[in-house]
Amino acid sequence: MARLFTKRIIAHCSREVLTPGKVVSHPTSSLQLGLPTANCSRFFSTTQHCTAERRYTDKHEWVTLDGKIGTVGISNYAQDALGDVVYAQLPDIGSSIKKEDECGALESVKAASEITSPCSGKVIEKNEAVESKPGLINTSCYDEGWLFKIELSDPQEVKTLMDEDAYNEFLKTDPH
């Protein structure tokens, strides 16, 4: 399960509480969060990101799980092989799909590719940002460039997919 833990950054200067990145004028100089200044105490922020385990298909789709919800996308290898993605057709919300079913398509300046579902279930969300800006797949295939979310009908199917190490070995040994 992916979780993001964040602590707030707070700086106290003459009774003012600053928010990250906010610039406040100070009688003697400009104060920007993070710069040492007289009469100012600082607290630093740390962010810890626990990533969910990403599983891969031999057709270069990936899925991460959060309970029974899977987030699906394509791997860095796949986006690189496609080139600049110019069109994304994603599965409709509410549609039921089976593992290995074709459920969408991606088109680039040099190729077209079907999207194959890594698991069975019902589509509960699609990334509309990717439909309007398909280039997100190229710039952020694992974060902002995810394709759709699916409520899994059989979460055990995910265990049959490759983990990160197995997928990297697959990329080294298998012609794609």
Side-chain angles (χ1 to χ4, degrees), residues 30-44:
S30 291
L31 171 70
Q32 186 170 14
L33 185 62
L35 298 176
T37 305
N39 301 325
C40 182
S41 61
R42 296 181 303 171
F43 299 93
F44 293 96

PDB file of all heavy atoms in Angstrom, residues 30-44:
ATOM      1  N   SER A  30      14.642  40.604   3.521  1.00  0.00           N
ATOM      2  CA  SER A  30      13.574  39.704   3.097  1.00  0.00           C
ATOM      3  C   SER A  30      13.845  38.351   3.712  1.00  0.00           C
ATOM      4  O   SER A  30      14.983  37.904   3.783  1.00  0.00           O
ATOM      5  CB  SER A  30      13.551  39.571   1.581  1.00  0.00           C
ATOM      6  OG  SER A  30      13.143  40.777   1.012  1.00  0.00           O
ATOM      7  N   LEU A  31      12.810  37.724   4.163  1.00  0.00           N
ATOM      8  CA  LEU A  31      12.957  36.420   4.793  1.00  0.00           C
ATOM      9  C   LEU A  31      12.280  35.392   3.908  1.00  0.00           C
ATOM     10  O   LEU A  31      11.124  35.509   3.586  1.00  0.00           O
ATOM     11  CB  LEU A  31      12.288  36.427   6.174  1.00  0.00           C
ATOM     12  CG  LEU A  31      12.180  35.075   6.853  1.00  0.00           C
ATOM     13  CD1 LEU A  31      13.579  34.624   7.281  1.00  0.00           C
ATOM     14  CD2 LEU A  31      11.276  35.161   8.045  1.00  0.00           C
ATOM     15  N   GLN A  32      13.025  34.435   3.482  1.00  0.00           N
ATOM     16  CA  GLN A  32      12.445  33.338   2.706  1.00  0.00           C
ATOM     17  C   GLN A  32      12.661  32.065   3.503  1.00  0.00           C
ATOM     18  O   GLN A  32      13.719  31.876   4.072  1.00  0.00           O
ATOM     19  CB  GLN A  32      13.113  33.225   1.340  1.00  0.00           C
ATOM     20  CG  GLN A  32      12.419  32.204   0.475  1.00  0.00           C
ATOM     21  CD  GLN A  32      12.909  32.266  -0.954  1.00  0.00           C
ATOM     22  OE1 GLN A  32      13.915  32.871  -1.256  1.00  0.00           O
ATOM     23  NE2 GLN A  32      12.193  31.622  -1.832  1.00  0.00           N
ATOM     24  N   LEU A  33      11.654  31.268   3.564  1.00  0.00           N
ATOM     25  CA  LEU A  33      11.713  30.053   4.356  1.00  0.00           C
ATOM     26  C   LEU A  33      12.979  29.282   4.048  1.00  0.00           C
ATOM     27  O   LEU A  33      13.321  29.045   2.905  1.00  0.00           O
ATOM     28  CB  LEU A  33      10.499  29.182   4.062  1.00  0.00           C
ATOM     29  CG  LEU A  33      10.361  27.940   4.906  1.00  0.00           C
ATOM     30  CD1 LEU A  33      10.194  28.321   6.371  1.00  0.00           C
ATOM     31  CD2 LEU A  33       9.172  27.141   4.446  1.00  0.00           C
ATOM     32  N   GLY A  34      13.681  28.926   5.084  1.00  0.00           N
ATOM     33  CA  GLY A  34      14.882  28.128   4.918  1.00  0.00           C
ATOM     34  C   GLY A  34      16.169  28.921   5.009  1.00  0.00           C
ATOM     35  O   GLY A  34      17.232  28.339   5.086  1.00  0.00           O
ATOM     36  N   LEU A  35      16.090  30.253   4.951  1.00  0.00           N
ATOM     37  CA  LEU A  35      17.306  31.050   5.060  1.00  0.00           C
ATOM     38  C   LEU A  35      17.512  31.465   6.506  1.00  0.00           C
ATOM     39  O   LEU A  35      16.587  31.920   7.165  1.00  0.00           O
ATOM     40  CB  LEU A  35      17.212  32.307   4.189  1.00  0.00           C
ATOM     41  CG  LEU A  35      17.072  32.062   2.690  1.00  0.00           C
ATOM     42  CD1 LEU A  35      16.885  33.378   1.979  1.00  0.00           C
ATOM     43  CD2 LEU A  35      18.282  31.331   2.158  1.00  0.00           C
ATOM     44  N   PRO A  36      18.742  31.336   7.031  1.00  0.00           N
ATOM     45  CA  PRO A  36      18.971  31.720   8.424  1.00  0.00           C
ATOM     46  C   PRO A  36      18.832  33.223   8.605  1.00  0.00           C
ATOM     47  O   PRO A  36      19.288  33.999   7.802  1.00  0.00           O
ATOM     48  CB  PRO A  36      20.397  31.261   8.703  1.00  0.00           C
ATOM     49  CG  PRO A  36      20.992  30.916   7.401  1.00  0.00           C
ATOM     50  CD  PRO A  36      19.903  30.791   6.391  1.00  0.00           C
ATOM     51  N   THR A  37      18.147  33.614   9.664  1.00  0.00           N
ATOM     52  CA  THR A  37      17.921  35.018   9.962  1.00  0.00           C
ATOM     53  C   THR A  37      17.894  35.181  11.471  1.00  0.00           C
ATOM     54  O   THR A  37      17.468  34.293  12.192  1.00  0.00           O
ATOM     55  CB  THR A  37      16.571  35.479   9.370  1.00  0.00           C
ATOM     56  OG1 THR A  37      16.563  35.188   7.992  1.00  0.00           O
ATOM     57  CG2 THR A  37      16.350  36.966   9.567  1.00  0.00           C
ATOM     58  N   ALA A  38      18.301  36.323  11.973  1.00  0.00           N
ATOM     59  CA  ALA A  38      18.245  36.590  13.411  1.00  0.00           C
ATOM     60  C   ALA A  38      16.796  36.537  13.881  1.00  0.00           C
ATOM     61  O   ALA A  38      15.880  36.867  13.142  1.00  0.00           O
ATOM     62  CB  ALA A  38      18.834  37.966  13.687  1.00  0.00           C
ATOM     63  N   ASN A  39      16.597  36.126  15.119  1.00  0.00           N
ATOM     64  CA  ASN A  39      15.279  36.038  15.732  1.00  0.00           C
ATOM     65  C   ASN A  39      14.339  35.101  14.986  1.00  0.00           C
ATOM     66  O   ASN A  39      13.152  35.316  14.930  1.00  0.00           O
ATOM     67  CB  ASN A  39      14.620  37.422  15.844  1.00  0.00           C
ATOM     68  CG  ASN A  39      15.449  38.363  16.666  1.00  0.00           C
ATOM     69  OD1 ASN A  39      16.096  37.950  17.635  1.00  0.00           O
ATOM     70  ND2 ASN A  39      15.464  39.627  16.279  1.00  0.00           N
ATOM     71  N   CYS A  40      14.864  34.115  14.359  1.00  0.00           N
ATOM     72  CA  CYS A  40      14.025  33.199  13.573  1.00  0.00           C
ATOM     73  C   CYS A  40      14.418  31.766  13.898  1.00  0.00           C
ATOM     74  O   CYS A  40      15.584  31.415  13.848  1.00  0.00           O
ATOM     75  CB  CYS A  40      14.208  33.455  12.081  1.00  0.00           C
ATOM     76  SG  CYS A  40      13.176  32.417  11.051  1.00  0.00           S
ATOM     77  N   SER A  41      13.454  30.948  14.258  1.00  0.00           N
ATOM     78  CA  SER A  41      13.750  29.534  14.465  1.00  0.00           C
ATOM     79  C   SER A  41      13.156  28.752  13.313  1.00  0.00           C
ATOM     80  O   SER A  41      12.126  29.111  12.773  1.00  0.00           O
ATOM     81  CB  SER A  41      13.165  29.056  15.800  1.00  0.00           C
ATOM     82  OG  SER A  41      11.771  29.206  15.794  1.00  0.00           O
ATOM     83  N   ARG A  42      13.831  27.689  12.914  1.00  0.00           N
ATOM     84  CA  ARG A  42      13.382  26.906  11.767  1.00  0.00           C
ATOM     85  C   ARG A  42      13.141  25.473  12.188  1.00  0.00           C
ATOM     86  O   ARG A  42      13.843  24.929  13.020  1.00  0.00           O
ATOM     87  CB  ARG A  42      14.438  26.907  10.661  1.00  0.00           C
ATOM     88  CG  ARG A  42      14.688  28.236  10.081  1.00  0.00           C
ATOM     89  CD  ARG A  42      15.711  28.128   8.990  1.00  0.00           C
ATOM     90  NE  ARG A  42      16.936  27.520   9.536  1.00  0.00           N
ATOM     91  CZ  ARG A  42      17.954  27.128   8.806  1.00  0.00           C
ATOM     92  NH1 ARG A  42      17.901  27.242   7.513  1.00  0.00           N
ATOM     93  NH2 ARG A  42      19.010  26.603   9.345  1.00  0.00           N
ATOM     94  N   PHE A  43      12.167  24.854  11.546  1.00  0.00           N
ATOM     95  CA  PHE A  43      11.914  23.439  11.695  1.00  0.00           C
ATOM     96  C   PHE A  43      11.939  22.851  10.301  1.00  0.00           C
ATOM     97  O   PHE A  43      11.319  23.383   9.395  1.00  0.00           O
ATOM     98  CB  PHE A  43      10.554  23.197  12.355  1.00  0.00           C
ATOM     99  CG  PHE A  43      10.462  23.777  13.729  1.00  0.00           C
ATOM    100  CD1 PHE A  43       9.953  25.043  13.933  1.00  0.00           C
ATOM    101  CD2 PHE A  43      10.914  23.051  14.819  1.00  0.00           C
ATOM    102  CE1 PHE A  43       9.881  25.584  15.182  1.00  0.00           C
ATOM    103  CE2 PHE A  43      10.849  23.593  16.083  1.00  0.00           C
ATOM    104  CZ  PHE A  43      10.327  24.856  16.265  1.00  0.00           C
ATOM    105  N   PHE A  44      12.654  21.768  10.137  1.00  0.00           N
ATOM    106  CA  PHE A  44      12.786  21.176   8.823  1.00  0.00           C
ATOM    107  C   PHE A  44      11.742  20.092   8.616  1.00  0.00           C
ATOM    108  O   PHE A  44      11.287  19.454   9.552  1.00  0.00           O
ATOM    109  CB  PHE A  44      14.187  20.583   8.631  1.00  0.00           C
ATOM    110  CG  PHE A  44      15.238  21.643   8.599  1.00  0.00           C
ATOM    111  CD1 PHE A  44      15.942  21.977   9.746  1.00  0.00           C
ATOM    112  CD2 PHE A  44      15.510  22.321   7.435  1.00  0.00           C
ATOM    113  CE1 PHE A  44      16.899  22.963   9.730  1.00  0.00           C
ATOM    114  CE2 PHE A  44      16.471  23.308   7.406  1.00  0.00           C
ATOM    115  CZ  PHE A  44      17.173  23.634   8.552  1.00  0.00           C
TER     116      PHE A  44
END
